[in-house]
């Protein structure tokens, strides 16, 4: 790992003292540093988005104190701050895991132009916004299979950070196109509408592109479950999938089932694989301060952990890492004004155990029928609450669409003595969990970027070499003497034009292709346009095509 840090120093870290302090926090269960001896073929990275210690404590008590599958792997803590903020959002947090570099809030796998946190070195101005190659992209180039499994929509921040590059995490259409052209072998989760030409604003037929390139594309779990090939996009909801407590009526697979399928497909590659699995909606339940949603999603994630861990323990070539990206909600068991002596386990769990739907699930059941009587009936049946006040009934009646989990979350939290300090992310360390077949694991307090360094070390990936000359900007091409212009006449399809002699090379954004007349060439990496900076980045092997 030292080589990785020495190389990074030349790009980001300006203080040798800071570098030494960072390295000093990273210790291993074994002192042997023989790279080959500790290498594995496969890495399974699991991200329970927004999961805190309070979340796992509540989930453990929900199942009568029985340990979670992830408990045996706890080995340290992770610092989560972004390049410009002590409290990260999911985009830079996932970027740190995906690339080994910190970026600023809202950015996905590009270098920041704003750095204000201690220990994060400034980036050279010419590299502002430049895409950073991810561990998934590098693994793919080395012949490994790659996969993403999640319950959110696939262009959402965490999966997006591993296979796209942008300064706007909310630009789902561009992100989706980049992810499609990044040739990921297995994609399972939600978000079909982002590849459907009839629902995309630019009418791009990404489903057609995938099928033309050998992918099985489906929205049906039964068909996906029975698929025996090696390339699949299974998107089982138009947008995000349901919470686990609510999914059965929707016919959606669980995170554990999708994990099992992904491992079955990816393990066919003798060169190994990289798989990222996200428990996406732990975070959303926390934003809503909804303890029922928290239990639903933590337990669903833990079942996926068991699948991954059983797979890894059945062989000698697979490591598993579980790394929350940040805390969320400031959840506590116990709240202000309530004596600890008055909080018994049954009072803490009574209503949470009675709940068979999350707040969003109850919202679906209520529909437009929000009469007093129907509210009382539904809340009693699915939450076990028979003493709703008129104020609470009125709050349920007036809850905006998609926000009933926030309203019901408050009611359950109050009755369960659960406190919340925020409906946003918070900045404390998160728990690190790790499994390695030879027990070569990180320990202590580490930085989120070091998780990527560790994965690259055990996979034998030199991510620095991929990043050193991966991309050129339009400005750098001009400096090399090329006649370059950006065509933004069609805002949904920005293009870089390179003129050389009587030839014009057209490079569309978000794709990995170059068009010259009737000829089409493939690039190593997808092309990226950053509107706010008017910068267009293209894979550096463009020089081999236009020479």
């Amino acid at each position: 790992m030292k080589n990785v840090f020495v190389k990074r120093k030349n790009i980001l870290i300006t203080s040798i003292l800071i570098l030494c302090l960072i390295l000093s926090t990273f210790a291993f269960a074994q002192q042997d540093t023989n790279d080959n001896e500790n290498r594995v073929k496969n890495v399974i990275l699991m991200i329970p988005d927004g999961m805190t210690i309070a979340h796992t404590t509540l989930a453990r008590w929900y199942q009568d104190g029985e340990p979670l599958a992830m408990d045996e792997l706890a080995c340290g803590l992770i610092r989560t701050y972004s390049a410009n903020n002590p409290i990260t959002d999911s985009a830079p947090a996932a970027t740190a895991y995906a690339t080994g570099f910190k970026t600023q809030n809202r950015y996905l796998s590009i270098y920041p132009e704003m750095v204000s946190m201690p220990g994060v070195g400034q980036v050279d101005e010419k590299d502002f916004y430049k895409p950073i190659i991810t561990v998934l992209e590098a693994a793919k180039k080395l012949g490994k299979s790659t996969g993403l499994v999640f319950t959110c929509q696939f262009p959402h921040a965490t999966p997006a950070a591993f296979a796209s590059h942008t300064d706007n995490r909310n630009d789902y259409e561009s992100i989706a196109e980049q992810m499609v052209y990044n040739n990921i072998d297995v994609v399972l989760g939600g978000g079909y509408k982002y590849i459907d030409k009839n629902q995309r604003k630019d009418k791009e037929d990404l489903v057609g592109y995938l099928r033309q390139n050998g992918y099985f594309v489906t929205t049906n779990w039964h068909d996906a479950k029975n698929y025996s090939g090696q390339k699949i996009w299974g998107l089982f909801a138009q947008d995000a999938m349901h919470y686990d407590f609510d999914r059965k009526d929707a016919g959606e697979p669980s995170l554990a089932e999708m994990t099992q399928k992904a491992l079955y497909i990816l393990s066919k590659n003798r060169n190994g694989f990289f798989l990222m699995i996200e428990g996406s909606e732990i975070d959303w339940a926390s934003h809503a301060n909804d303890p029922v949603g928290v239990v639903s999603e933590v337990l669903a994630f833990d079942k996926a952990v068991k699948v991954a861990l059983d797979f890894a323990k059945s062989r000698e070539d697979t490591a598993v890492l579980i790394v929350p990206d940040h805390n969320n909600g400031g959840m506590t068991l116990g709240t202000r004004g309530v004596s600890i002596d008055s909080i018994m386990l049954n009072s803490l769990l009574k209503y949470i155990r009675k709940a068979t739907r999350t707040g969003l699930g109850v919202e679906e059941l209520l529909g437009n029928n929000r009469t007093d009587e129907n509210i009382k009936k539904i809340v009693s049946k699915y939450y076990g609450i028979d003493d709703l006040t008129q104020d609470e009934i009125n709050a349920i009646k007036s809850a905006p669409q998609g926000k009933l989990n926030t309203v019901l979350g408050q009611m359950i939290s109050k009755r369960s003595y659960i406190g919340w300090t925020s409906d946003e992310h918070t900045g404390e360390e998160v728990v690190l969990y790790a499994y390695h077949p030879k027990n070569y694991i990180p320990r202590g307090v580490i930085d989120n970027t070091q998780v990527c360094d560790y994965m690259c070390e055990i996979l034998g990936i030199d991510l620095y070499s991929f990043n050193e000359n991966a991309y050129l900007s339009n400005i750098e091409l001009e400096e090399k003497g090329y006649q370059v212009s950006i065509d933004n006449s069609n805002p949904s399809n920005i293009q870089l034009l390179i003129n050389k002699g009587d030839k014009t090379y057209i490079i569309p954004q978000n794709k990995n292709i170059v068009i010259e007349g009737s000829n089409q060439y493939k690039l190593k990496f997808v092309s990226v346009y950053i509107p706010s900076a008017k910068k267009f980045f293209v894979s550096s092997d463009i020089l081999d095509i236009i020479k």
Side-chain angles (χ1 to χ4, degrees), residues 123-166:
V123 177
D124 192 308
E125 186 174 354
K126 72 179 179 61
D127 290 328
F128 288 177
Y129 308 101
K130 182 173 284 188
I132 316 172
I133 304 305
T134 72
V135 61
L136 180 146
E137 291 170 323
K140 185 71 179 174
K141 297 305 175 189
L142 292 177
K144 293 182 180 293
S145 291
T146 56
L148 298 171
V149 175
F150 41 87
T151 55
C152 59
Q153 56 275 69
F154 75 89
H156 205 264
T158 301
F162 289 84
S164 72
H165 311 271
T166 180

Side-chain angles (χ1 to χ4, degrees), residues 106-107 110 113 129 166-168 529-535:
R106 295 186 354 110
Y107 287 15
I110 62 173
E113 87 283 5
Y129 308 101
T166 180
D167 66 338
N168 181 7
Y529 179 62
I530 306 294
S532 62
K534 294 183 172 56
K535 275 190 172 184

Side-chain angles (χ1 to χ4, degrees), residues 485-501:
S485 62
I486 296 175
D487 177 9
N488 58 8
S489 57
N490 180 357
S492 64
N493 186 21
I494 309 297
Q495 300 179 133
L496 183 70
L497 307 180
I498 303 177
N499 296 309
K500 184 176 181 184

Side-chain angles (χ1 to χ4, degrees), residues 242 246 249-250 358-368 370 404:
H242 284 74
D246 307 327
D249 293 338
T358 71
L360 290 183
V362 169
E363 183 174 328
E364 286 187 353
L365 292 167
L366 280 173
N368 293 322
R370 295 196 185 186
L404 189 55

Side-chain angles (χ1 to χ4, degrees), residues 45 93-101 109 133-136 161-162 452 455 463:
L45 176 67
T95 293
Y97 291 148
T99 69
F101 287 95
S109 297
I133 304 305
T134 72
V135 61
L136 180 146
F162 289 84
C452 183
M455 292 190 296
L463 203 52

Side-chain angles (χ1 to χ4, degrees), residues 26 456 522:
F26 212 168
C456 288
K522 276 206 169 181

